[in-house]
């Protein structure tokens, strides 16, 4: 399966006029966007991998296809079967698309704290959506455990297990990493992004480390409430998780199996406050015309700060995970922003974009 993905990458060559085979064939080969304004401010080159241009609208399309294809390859999923996952949103959306394209049923367990836009879209895509209370992973009622139990209770069903099924990271090793290397001509100093499952960071990181003979640095960008910054900076001490963030689908309280395949090779990590993420969201809309979700803008803040750390002339790549369409009722609502103490984080000249009450 993965060698076939590599063949598709070579054949398409990142051309926008290529013909592809169905929804699956349209996943990947996304542009690498040069963020001109930010780059010129500090004399470095900052790029965002435009994963919002995947056909399902996010970076998680890659994981969804990799997880389903892996289940098919192992004979765990047969025609007419059911795909079950516990997800904060985008992986579920990717799976719902892939399942529609392949003829599978899709059941999604998700925390009831997620945006209504995501829940509505999953239902529109034909998924059976089951919101459950948001509780810690250690709790048996955590949405991941409920998904696993349900898949085991019905025939011809598979729990894709996005957090600990390393087919997730492998999909990025086989596609996203090679794309970035080809698009930059191998000339990049660092790659940085936030992690939820850890698949993107681990897969891309492993590929770039191998191709650069260890020269490309790989960093984790962390939201508030995640333990990964402290884990990396303490040399492997896993602290209790505390606090929270407005970002969805990123941050962790543990080392997933996907992240575990690479975490010892991570060069560094730091936390990005929500105030910086929301300010960057509005900045990128105003200066670059990019309408991005908060996890994407957290990544851009991190890339900007890492480029400053590495010095002028450095080249840093990050991931633009998805667009703001799935969060607009929150991110552009003055009332919601005020309730989170974030309205004041937006520069006065950019508050004109907060058009919702």
């Amino acid at each position: 399966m993965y060698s076939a993905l590599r063949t598709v990458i070579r054949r398409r060559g990142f051309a926008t006029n290529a013909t592809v085979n169905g929804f699956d064939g349209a996943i990947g080969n996304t542009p690498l966007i040069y963020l001109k304004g930010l780059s010129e401010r500090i004399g470095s080159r900052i790029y965002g991998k435009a994963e919002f241009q995947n056909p399902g609208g996010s970076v998680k399309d890659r994981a969804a296809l990799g997880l389903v294809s892996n289940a098919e390859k192992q004979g765990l999923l047969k025609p007419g079967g059911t795909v079950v996952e516990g997800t904060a949103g985008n992986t579920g959306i990717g799976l719902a698309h892939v399942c529609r394209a392949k003829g599978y049923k899709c059941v999604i367990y998700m925390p009831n704290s997620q945006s209504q836009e995501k829940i509505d879209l999953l239902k529109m895509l034909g998924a059976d959506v089951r919101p459950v209370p948001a509780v810690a992973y250690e709790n048996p009622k955590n949405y991941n455990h409920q998904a696993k139990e349900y898949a085991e209770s019905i025939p011809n069903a598979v729990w894709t297990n996005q957090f600990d099924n390393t087919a997730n990271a492998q999909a990025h090793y086989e596609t996203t990493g090679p794309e970035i290397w080809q698009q930059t001509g191998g000339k990049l100093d660092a790659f940085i992004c936030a992690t939820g499952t850890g698949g993107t960071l681990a897969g891309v990181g492993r590929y770039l480390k191998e191709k650069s003979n260890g020269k490309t640095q790989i960093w984790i960008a962390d939201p508030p409430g995640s333990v990964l910054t402290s884990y990396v900076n303490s040399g492997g001490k896993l602290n209790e998780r505390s606090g929270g963030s407005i970002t969805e689908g990123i941050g962790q309280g543990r080392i997933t199996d996907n992240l575990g395949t690479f975490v010892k090779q991570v060069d560094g990590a730091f936390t990005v406050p929500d105030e910086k993420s929301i300010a960057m969201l509005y900045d990128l809309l105003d200066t670059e015309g990019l309408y991005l979700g908060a996890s994407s803008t957290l990544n851009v803040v991190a890339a900007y700060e890492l480029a400053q750390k590495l010095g002028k002339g450095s080249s840093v790549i990050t991931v633009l995970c998805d667009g703001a369409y799935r969060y607009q009722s929150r991110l552009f609502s003055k009332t919601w922003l005020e309730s989170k103490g974030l309205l004041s984080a937006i520069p006065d000249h950019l508050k004109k974009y907060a058009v919702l009450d």
Side-chain angles (χ1 to χ4, degrees):
M1 185 268 290
Y2 297 116
S3 60
L5 289 174
R6 279 199 298 267
T7 301
V8 169
I9 289 171
R10 287 195 294 269
R11 188 189 314 124
R12 286 174 64 189
F14 309 111
T16 57
N17 61 348
T19 298
V20 299
N21 187 17
F23 181 91
D24 298 0
I27 294 173
N29 289 331
T30 56
L32 194 61
I33 299 176
Y34 173 57
L35 301 177
K36 183 174 183 289
L38 292 177
S39 298
E40 290 181 348
R41 288 179 205 174
I42 58 173
S44 295
R45 299 185 69 81
I46 302 170
Y47 298 87
K49 185 79 164 131
E51 291 299 284
F52 59 85
Q53 290 198 12
N54 279 305
S58 87
V59 65
K60 295 298 187 177
D61 286 3
R62 296 182 189 260
L65 179 58
L67 292 166
V68 171
S69 297
N70 184 63
E72 291 173 330
K73 183 178 179 181
Q74 294 186 65
L76 302 175
L77 190 61
K78 297 179 173 58
T82 302
V83 171
V84 187
E85 183 54 274
T87 170
N90 278 335
T91 301
I93 291 166
L95 285 170
H97 275 290
V98 171
C99 286
R100 291 272 37 82
K102 289 177 171 285
Y104 299 124
K105 303 179 186 70
C106 183
V107 178
I108 301 297
Y109 284 81
M110 67 189 307
N112 59 11
S113 58
Q114 299 305 296
S115 67
Q116 191 60 43
E117 287 95 338
K118 283 185 179 178
I119 295 172
D120 290 343
L121 178 55
L122 281 165
K123 291 180 178 178
M124 291 173 196
L125 292 170
D128 178 354
V129 184
R130 304 184 180 191
V132 298
V135 296
Y137 183 81
E138 294 75 20
N139 190 313
K141 292 299 183 181
N142 177 273
Y143 62 101
N144 290 291
H145 304 319
Q146 293 199 50
K148 178 177 184 290
E149 290 170 4
Y150 180 72
E152 291 173 345
S153 72
I154 61 174
N156 193 17
V158 63
W159 173 48
T160 43
N161 189 14
Q162 61 165 326
F163 290 91
D164 296 312
N165 183 344
T166 57
N168 176 349
Q170 185 68 15
H172 289 284
Y173 177 82
E174 295 283 351
T175 65
T176 323
E179 288 173 31
I180 290 172
W181 187 259
Q182 181 180 333
Q183 288 168 318
T184 61
K187 297 178 181 178
L188 71 162
D189 295 297
F191 173 82
I192 186 168
C193 71
T195 76
T197 65
T200 304
L201 183 107
V204 172
R206 180 160 64 94
Y207 185 87
L208 295 179
K209 281 288 187 186
E210 289 177 4
K211 291 295 288 185
S212 69
N213 293 317
K215 294 179 181 178
T216 299
Q217 295 187 28
I218 310 296
W219 286 63
I220 292 176
D222 227 14
S226 176
V227 305
L228 299 180
T229 292
S230 62
Y231 180 88
V232 171
N233 293 337
S234 68
K237 182 179 179 181
L238 198 59
N239 296 322
E240 286 292 325
R241 190 171 186 173
S242 63
S245 171
I246 64 164
T247 56
E248 297 183 17
I250 58 173
Q252 258 302 342
R254 67 187 181 96
I255 303 302
T256 65
D257 285 359
N258 278 291
L259 183 56
T261 65
F262 183 74
V263 70
K264 291 182 180 179
Q265 298 181 62
V266 170
D267 292 283
F270 56 86
T271 298
V272 176
D274 283 347
E275 289 82 1
K276 289 186 177 181
S277 297
I278 202 72
M280 182 62 77
L281 188 150
Y282 279 74
D283 187 339
L284 288 171
L285 175 59
D286 188 64
T287 61
E288 302 281 356
L290 292 171
Y291 189 64
L292 302 171
S295 59
S296 298
T297 59
L298 180 150
N299 282 345
V300 175
V301 171
Y304 181 79
E305 294 187 356
L306 181 56
Q308 287 180 302
K309 184 187 295 287
L310 296 178
K312 287 189 176 182
S314 59
S315 179
V316 179
I317 315 296
T318 193
V319 177
L320 307 180
C321 314
D322 64 7
Y325 303 97
R326 292 169 184 173
Y327 322 93
Q328 62 189 18
S329 64
R330 298 180 179 186
L331 297 177
F332 294 89
S333 163
K334 293 186 286 291
T335 301
W336 187 84
L337 290 166
E338 186 67 50
S339 73
K340 299 297 182 182
L342 294 173
L343 187 60
S344 61
I346 304 169
D348 288 341
H349 72 287
L350 299 179
K351 287 179 180 174
K352 62 186 178 182
Y353 296 111
V355 297
L356 304 178
D357 292 330

